[in-house]
Amino acid sequence: MSDRSEADRLAQESALARLVRRPEAGAFIVMIVVVTMITFASDFKAFNALGLKNNLAIIAQFGIIATGAALLMIGGEFDLSIGSMIGFAGMSMAMMLKWGLPFGLGEATPFLAFAITLAMTLSLGWLIGTIVVRSGLSSFIVSLAFLFFLRGTTEVSFRLINQSTQISGLPDFKEQSWVAWAFGGEMFGWVYDAWFALGGNINRRGEQWVDGFDARVLWWLIIAGVAYFVLSRTQLGNWIYATGDNKDSARANGVPVNRVKTSLFMFTAFCATIFAACQVFDTNTADAAKGNLMELNAIAIAVVGGTLMTGGFGSVIGVAFGAVTFGLVANAVFYIPWLDGSFYRVFVGVVLLAAVFANERIRKRITGGI
């Protein structure tokens, strides 16, 4: 009997140890703490009908770009151009939507504006990845160069063509274009229908006052779901982990390392373009400053979500937990009157440093202390 009890105890300890070693374990704990604190500090306003909508909009934005950054980091590289790519993509779409296309094509439809912009950003992602894998240069330096190049190109183009770094007052294409609605409309209205029935989404006139979540929430769920499936269920996922863990060993085992890395740079460009499209078609505006410092938020969320800086280890679920945490804290100033907005940066610094130490312990445990 005692032997069986001892075996059961060891089995439970082993299960607990495996759970703690999972990359998303720390991110989940931090998320629960933050959700609990913000819930009570905001007197539950952060999770009423409007609060839930606004919080999920920020969370989804973080989640979209952090998922792309995390996969690239798992593959052993960094992309500091994500934020500038957001501004560049937003400028491209807004200018085509305002002035149309040359060569007799007339006013650009939302579909053409998005498709042409996506072709450009994917080409830029391919170019960044190709330079990194062909030259052997650090992706940190190469993407940093493109950070400045894309931001400068965006600002110069705005000033030359628009005489301003902003475009506002674009037509609202959502009523006439399914593409514009897919990026800037509202989804999951049935959630608020249920909320309305329970009396949680009624204004003073007795009418429903929030109709659904922003479309970017759906895009985040799609991107995160596909990324999770790829990492956990496909050969490409194995290739990504192997490339980030040891690219020489991976190459020796037949992994197309260069193509994997280039594809991941293109994926981060895709995520940045989706982010920009959601902003442009939601607000009908564009600004050269859009996406500023978003690359740092994306990397921070990936690290807090359990992604190792050295590559080869990470989890999309952990990134989702990190996005929820960062989004709630970034938006908390609107629900907690006494909270200064600068506390968000303090939070990011403290949590990021703690995550780096935790991830380093995980790395040493995996590599046997190397």
Side-chain angles (χ1 to χ4, degrees):
M1 179 66 74
S2 60
D3 292 341
R4 180 175 296 179
S5 299
E6 181 67 15
D8 291 341
R9 184 184 66 81
L10 292 175
Q12 290 176 354
E13 289 180 355
S14 177
L16 180 61
R18 287 197 301 271
L19 185 62
V20 171
R21 282 198 297 268
R22 289 188 63 85
E24 62 269 15
F28 177 75
I29 294 171
V30 174
M31 182 189 71
I32 294 300
V33 171
V34 167
V35 168
T36 303
M37 291 176 61
I38 290 180
T39 298
F40 288 102
S42 67
D43 195 23
F44 296 89
K45 293 178 181 178
F47 298 101
N48 62 20
L50 184 60
L52 194 62
K53 174 185 171 70
N54 291 338
N55 278 322
L56 278 176
I58 301 297
I59 290 167
Q61 287 189 155
F62 282 156
I64 288 170
I65 56 172
T67 301
L71 261 66
L72 183 60
M73 289 171 64
I74 292 172
E77 303 292 350
F78 291 93
D79 188 355
L80 296 180
S81 69
I82 296 175
S84 297
M85 192 77 76
I86 291 170
F88 174 82
M91 174 208 68
S92 171
M93 281 181 275
M95 286 188 174
M96 283 187 278
L97 291 169
K98 184 172 184 178
W99 290 292
L101 292 166
F103 312 116
L105 293 178
E107 184 178 354
T109 65
F111 174 77
L112 285 176
F114 172 74
I116 293 172
T117 298
L118 182 61
M120 290 192 294
T121 54
L122 289 179
S123 298
L124 287 166
W126 174 85
L127 179 60
I128 296 171
T130 300
I131 292 174
V132 169
V133 299
R134 294 272 181 97
S135 67
L137 294 172
S138 166
S139 59
F140 181 92
I141 296 300
V142 174
S143 60
L144 180 63
F146 274 88
L147 178 154
F148 290 113
F149 171 76
L150 290 173
R151 186 66 68 185
T153 300
T154 301
E155 292 177 354
V156 168
S157 299
F158 261 122
R159 290 194 178 99
L160 285 177
I161 301 174
N162 190 54
Q163 285 76 53
S164 171
T165 57
Q166 296 179 334
I167 292 179
S168 58
L170 291 172
D172 190 349
F173 290 95
K174 290 189 284 293
E175 295 183 358
Q176 53 185 289
S177 170
W178 66 269
V179 173
W181 177 81
F183 288 111
E186 293 183 332
M187 310 283 184
F188 303 114
W190 57 269
V191 174
Y192 282 106
D193 290 338
W195 202 307
F196 178 79
L198 295 174
N201 187 25
I202 302 176
N203 61 21
R204 292 180 179 177
R205 297 190 301 271
E207 300 170 347
Q208 185 164 326
W209 59 302
V210 179
D211 297 321
F213 299 121
D214 290 353
R216 68 197 70 185
V217 176
L218 178 60
W219 282 105
W220 173 43
L221 295 176
I222 292 172
I223 290 172
V226 171
Y228 175 81
F229 178 80
V230 168
L231 282 181
S232 61
R233 296 288 187 271
T234 68
Q235 184 183 53
L236 176 58
N238 293 331
W239 285 353
I240 293 172
Y241 281 115
T243 298
D245 184 41
N246 188 321
K247 65 179 181 180
D248 294 327
S249 176
R251 187 177 284 114
N253 283 280
V255 176
V257 171
N258 290 355
R259 277 191 290 166
V260 169
K261 291 192 175 188
T262 302
S263 298
L264 291 174
F265 277 104
M266 294 176 70
F267 180 61
T268 61
F270 170 80
C271 292
T273 308
I274 296 297
F275 184 110
C278 290
Q279 284 192 332
V280 169
F281 289 113
D282 177 32
T283 63
N284 302 314
T285 62
D287 192 320
K290 291 291 186 182
N292 189 35
L293 298 181
M294 276 296 177
E295 61 279 345
L296 301 184
N297 280 306
I299 293 172
I301 291 169
V303 172
V304 170
T307 305
L308 289 184
M309 302 287 287
T310 52
F313 189 79
S315 162
V316 173
I317 296 177
V319 173
F321 292 154
V324 171
T325 301
F326 276 58
L328 288 176
V329 175
N331 225 24
V333 65
F334 296 105
Y335 307 102
I336 306 175
W338 51 264
L339 187 66
D340 190 297
S342 297
F343 276 113
Y344 171 70
R345 297 185 181 89
V346 176
F347 170 82
V348 172
V350 172
V351 173
L352 181 59
L353 187 61
V356 169
F357 278 111
N359 291 351
E360 179 64 12
R361 292 187 63 183
I362 293 173
R363 185 191 69 80
K364 288 182 177 180
R365 189 180 298 119
I366 293 172
T367 60
I370 298 176

